[in-house]
Amino acid sequence: MKQLVNLFVSVLVLSAVLLFATYRLNASEGYSGGNTLTIFNWGDYIDPDLIAEFEEQTGITVIYQTFDSNEAMMTKIEQGGTTFDISVPSDYAISKMKEDRLLLPIDHAKLPNLKHIDPRFMNLSFDPDNAYSIPYFWGTVGVVYNRELVGDHEFTSWNELWDPALHNDILLVDGAREVMGMGLNSLGYSLNDKNEEHLQEAKRKLNELTPNVKAIVGDEIKMLLANEEAAAGVVWSGDAAEMMWENENLDYVVPEEGSNVWFDNMVIPTTAKNIEGAHEFINFMLDPEIAARNTEYVGYSTPNAAALALLPEDISGDERFYPAPELTDKLEVYDNLGKRMLSHYNELFLEFKMHRK
Ligand code: SPD
């Protein structure tokens, strides 16, 4: 009898341990059981107070995870084993995720705040009718530079980055499309170019930039440039805005040969378990007062017209971050290049990174 009781206790303990381990695993992989919502967003891309407010307002518990590139995010969602309810891909990634059937349709009837989005940011080519994606932030790629450290340079041309005077003094954002795009644009080619000769030419040109490249980094780029650890950097516009709040010697420019205009939108991946909660979250983020606070916190440009009207003039009137449509119309949106070409861009970028070692 004693043996039977011991066996029973052992089975009970083992079950409890297994249950706990499963719970921990699910939590770390973004399990959205119960009244939870799992959000998969770029790093440094939301005011954390807003998550707390959303939880308080709705009674939903948010599990929040971050990524640092569209490619990493798509791989994770494709692999499965996650239950993300919300993600925030960029334009070309949205087009690819739609193609790969990784997105659920969004019910606009559940988003009364959608009316606040400036029509200029709706119905874009990567998702006509916004059937699968709702605008979050937008911006450009350009050069942030420290007026005190770069001599006469104003970076109206990408080619100024190649000046030997900038030896070991520039930082690059860790993005395959951004760096390859910059290489292609500096040669006068499109940042969506698929011509192999042009791509190899761009890689050779990037290799020539190596002596000037101090580091290729993620979100730390803001801290490094604000602390004057480098004279210039190729960055996303919102990161530039945030650095410029910290250091008044910094300025931001989009070089004249052309660059990228991008759009990050909220989506509901097919991994979602809390579709209702996902709609509630999207509608919450579209509220003008919430979107304005989020914009002031992260520094990126809001597509929400009612939120923009609430922002101070030094933000909403800054043409470096809210350029006129005439300028953005001249910039290019990244195309969904297709699986093979996208991998090729990534390989070339990796080869460039290896060339530095
Ligand atoms: N730290 C937040 C970065 C978000 C940048 N998204 C830009 C994507 C451009 N393709």
Side-chain angles (χ1 to χ4, degrees), residues 42-45 70 90 178 219 222 236 239 262 264 300 334:
W42 294 84
D44 287 355
Y45 217 28
N70 282 301
S90 312
E178 285 70 18
D219 282 329
K222 291 181 279 190
W236 291 308
D239 283 357
W262 53 262
D264 287 346
Y300 278 84
Y334 296 131

Side-chain angles (χ1 to χ4, degrees), residues 49-340:
D49 285 351
L50 297 178
I51 299 178
E53 272 180 49
F54 174 75
E55 289 182 315
E56 205 174 314
Q57 218 175 85
T58 59
I60 294 174
T61 302
V62 170
I63 299 169
Y64 196 80
Q65 292 189 27
T66 59
F67 58 84
D68 55 15
S69 72
N70 282 301
E71 287 66 33
M73 178 270 302
M74 287 191 283
T75 305
K76 184 126 191 180
I77 289 184
E78 247 163 357
Q79 269 169 356
T82 56
T83 52
F84 298 120
D85 297 302
I86 291 276
S87 189
V88 190
S90 312
D91 33 66
Y92 72 98
I94 293 168
S95 162
K96 180 164 189 309
M97 290 174 88
K98 272 168 51 178
E99 207 171 86
D100 295 345
R101 301 193 183 281
L102 293 174
L103 300 182
L104 292 176
I106 295 180
D107 184 352
H108 289 201
K110 293 187 173 144
L111 306 177
N113 286 329
L114 187 55
K115 61 175 180 284
H116 300 301
I117 295 290
D118 183 336
R120 176 183 163 202
F121 299 102
M122 296 288 289
N123 302 313
L124 299 179
S125 59
F126 55 87
D127 187 23
D129 301 326
N130 291 86
Y132 295 90
S133 71
I134 302 295
Y136 185 62
F137 281 119
W138 69 281
T140 55
V141 172
V143 180
V144 72
Y145 62 97
N146 188 314
R147 285 185 227 92
E148 301 293 308
L149 303 177
V150 295
D152 290 339
H153 285 300
E154 288 181 349
F155 299 98
T156 46
S157 166
W158 287 114
N159 289 298
E160 292 178 60
L161 291 168
W162 274 256
D163 182 345
L166 294 170
H167 184 262
N168 200 31
D169 223 1
I170 66 169
L171 301 175
L172 302 179
V173 65
D174 192 2
R177 295 299 300 263
E178 285 70 18
V179 174
M180 284 302 295
M182 184 251 300
L184 287 161
N185 278 161
S186 74
L187 291 162
Y189 301 136
S190 160
L191 44 70
N192 293 310
D193 206 320
K194 292 183 177 177
N195 178 305
E196 187 54 26
E197 269 175 40
H198 295 171
L199 290 172
Q200 291 300 335
E201 202 184 329
K203 197 186 82 177
R204 282 195 298 276
K205 175 119 191 235
L206 287 172
N207 287 346
E208 286 164 19
L209 184 64
T210 298
N212 287 4
V213 179
K214 186 168 189 175
I216 301 177
V217 277
D219 282 329
E220 317 89 90
I221 205 164
K222 291 181 279 190
M223 186 264 293
L224 293 170
L225 285 157
N227 289 345
E228 312 205 330
E229 301 280 339
V234 175
V235 298
W236 291 308
S237 51
D239 283 357
E242 202 183 323
M243 293 171 218
M244 286 159 60
W245 294 339
E246 303 288 322
N247 186 327
E248 57 183 20
N249 292 331
L250 297 177
D251 206 346
Y252 176 76
V253 64
V254 175
E256 282 163 5
E257 294 96 348
S259 184
N260 166 237
V261 57
W262 53 262
F263 307 93
D264 287 346
N265 282 20
M266 295 177 275
V267 300
I268 307 179
T270 41
T271 51
K273 290 278 179 279
N274 189 352
I275 296 168
E276 208 49 46
H279 282 88
E280 276 186 75
F281 179 79
I282 295 173
N283 194 51
F284 176 83
M285 294 311 297
L286 291 172
D287 175 90
E289 195 248 333
I290 300 293
R293 281 170 54 200
N294 204 25
T295 306
E296 283 206 78
Y297 184 91
V298 300
Y300 278 84
S301 309
T302 181
N304 188 314
L308 191 63
L310 296 176
L311 290 168
E313 168 66 22
D314 60 332
I315 295 183
S316 59
D318 191 332
E319 293 206 352
R320 290 167 299 186
F321 304 112
Y322 289 93
E326 298 76 61
L327 183 106
T328 50
D329 286 351
K330 289 191 197 138
L331 303 178
E332 289 179 284
V333 181
Y334 296 131
D335 285 346
N336 171 10
L337 299 170
K339 211 178 181 71
R340 227 171 46 81

